[in-house]
Amino acid sequence: QPPAGQPCPVFRLSLSGAMPVVVGMVPAPSATGQCSPSGIALGPSGALFISEADKIYSVMPNASTPALATVYAAGVPGTNGLAFDRHGSLWTGDGTTGQGRVWQITPDGVVTEVLRIQPMANPAGVGRSAVTLPPNTAQPLVANGVAFETDGDMLVADTARGAIWRVAFDRNGVMKDNQTGCDATFTANTLCLSRVWVAHPLLEGADGIALDRSGNVWVAANERNAIVVVAAHEGRARAVIEVLRNPPSAGTGLRNAGPLEFPTSPFLLGNKLCTANSDGNRRDNSPNSAGELGGAGAPKGKISCMDPHLSIPGLPLPVSGHGH
């Protein structure tokens, strides 16, 4: 973390273990504030898009002369996971603000709230909205990681419910009818519960998601310090499989010592699955003083990768890992 008022570096990492290379910078929010970027995506033009607070920045990576990123879109509070659809529009959810908003940002920068994932706290003052969801008592985050299937439909990770929602789009990238408006106590653009594609206890804490070439969905389940895969066939979730979870430490039974330390953003490169770790002080990662991150003089960021494989029909799975 750079000092207050200083930009955050954007690194290019090599799976070979070479030293990280700075290819750009994200501005600090103010002269006294610290930047805290979350999502990142590579755009069709080769530029990087980075979410931070209520803005999305873009920068063309350049290791020789790293540039300061510029604002691509503003007015997206809580923006977190990022994904491009096949028409070149960028999509993001509202993260820890907990309202479930999902925005589309067109190639010319127009921001539109297209839909909402049903929030845990009902804005109409009924049902579950009796709770105030203070920090560390309940998880309000429902619109987290986003990804697009090859047919153009969108998947949204619901951290609080341990679920993934599926939103259908037509060939022109317009959301199909009859997916919203099922509950008058929510906003009219809130998805119906029928759009939950899969929900499972193993997915509790689902953060970032990534799709492989077979349509299987790989999930960083940060609340459980685990990696989970949803095995899919022809667009349907067939099985939810835990690929890796931190083993309990001898004596304490805690699962906070690694290799995973609150995994957030998985990605696939060939047969290798990697994920970023944010070392959040929650659930299985609490207290977050254990492991390789967070202590005085210790690294502040880590990428964990898995490369051994177990063959399941139609699905090669990593089963153990290391992370540095």
Side-chain angles (χ1 to χ4, degrees):
Q1 180 71 52
Q6 297 299 308
C8 287
V10 180
F11 294 103
R12 184 182 68 209
L13 306 176
S14 169
L15 293 181
S16 67
M19 290 296 293
V21 176
V22 177
V23 296
M25 307 292 289
V26 177
S30 68
T32 57
Q34 289 183 315
C35 49
S36 181
S38 51
I40 187 168
L42 188 66
S45 67
L48 289 171
F49 293 78
I50 303 151
S51 57
E52 205 274 337
D54 63 347
K55 298 179 178 66
I56 298 172
Y57 292 89
S58 67
V59 63
M60 187 62 69
N62 189 317
S64 300
T65 54
L68 191 66
T70 58
V71 175
Y72 177 71
V76 282
T79 174
N80 196 342
L82 300 172
F84 280 90
D85 65 19
R86 56 187 177 183
H87 302 282
S89 288
L90 180 63
W91 294 76
T92 187
D94 70 0
T96 55
T97 65
Q99 295 182 45
R101 294 163 292 183
V102 177
W103 290 282
Q104 176 194 43
I105 301 98
T106 60
D108 54 358
V110 176
V111 179
T112 303
E113 180 189 313
V114 176
L115 61 96
R116 293 194 185 199
I117 302 297
Q118 288 195 17
M120 300 300 286
N122 192 305
V126 299
R128 290 188 75 167
S129 67
V131 299
T132 56
L133 298 175
N136 299 320
T137 60
Q139 172 62 269
L141 202 167
V142 294
N144 202 334
V146 291
F148 282 90
E149 298 178 304
T150 55
D151 63 2
D153 289 349
M154 179 171 64
L155 302 177
V156 183
D158 184 334
T159 309
R161 293 183 178 90
I164 298 175
W165 299 67
R166 190 168 188 254
V167 190
F169 290 84
D170 65 22
R171 67 179 62 186
N172 297 314
V174 178
M175 194 171 81
K176 293 181 180 178
D177 294 334
N178 303 318
Q179 300 182 94
T180 59
C182 301
D183 189 335
T185 66
F186 291 107
T187 58
N189 64 342
T190 302
L191 289 180
C192 302
L193 286 172
S194 61
R195 301 314 301 174
V196 174
W197 184 60
V198 60
H200 196 284
L202 291 177
L203 294 173
E204 186 177 355
D207 194 320
I209 54 178
L211 276 67
D212 65 21
R213 285 176 289 185
S214 297
N216 305 303
V217 183
W218 299 80
V219 184
N222 58 30
E223 299 277 357
R224 303 178 56 255
N225 267 344
I227 299 296
V228 178
V229 64
V230 181
H233 178 67
E234 295 181 350
R236 295 185 179 183
R238 296 298 190 186
V240 180
I241 305 163
E242 184 171 278
V243 179
L244 171 70
R245 187 183 184 194
N246 282 0
S249 298
T252 67
L254 297 175
R255 298 178 185 269
N256 60 348
L260 300 174
E261 299 184 59
F262 214 74
T264 57
S265 304
F267 65 94
L268 292 150
L269 184 61
N271 290 326
K272 190 181 290 288
L273 173 77
C274 298
T275 182
N277 297 267
S278 71
D279 203 31
N281 191 26
R282 288 181 62 91
R283 281 285 304 276
D284 278 17
N285 203 58
S286 182
N288 61 350
S289 53
E292 299 169 300
L293 299 179
K300 303 302 181 185
K302 181 175 75 171
I303 304 292
S304 299
C305 295
M306 295 181 282
D307 44 26
H309 293 79
L310 168 69
S311 293
I312 290 178
L315 186 66
L317 295 177
V319 291
S320 62
H322 61 275
H324 295 283

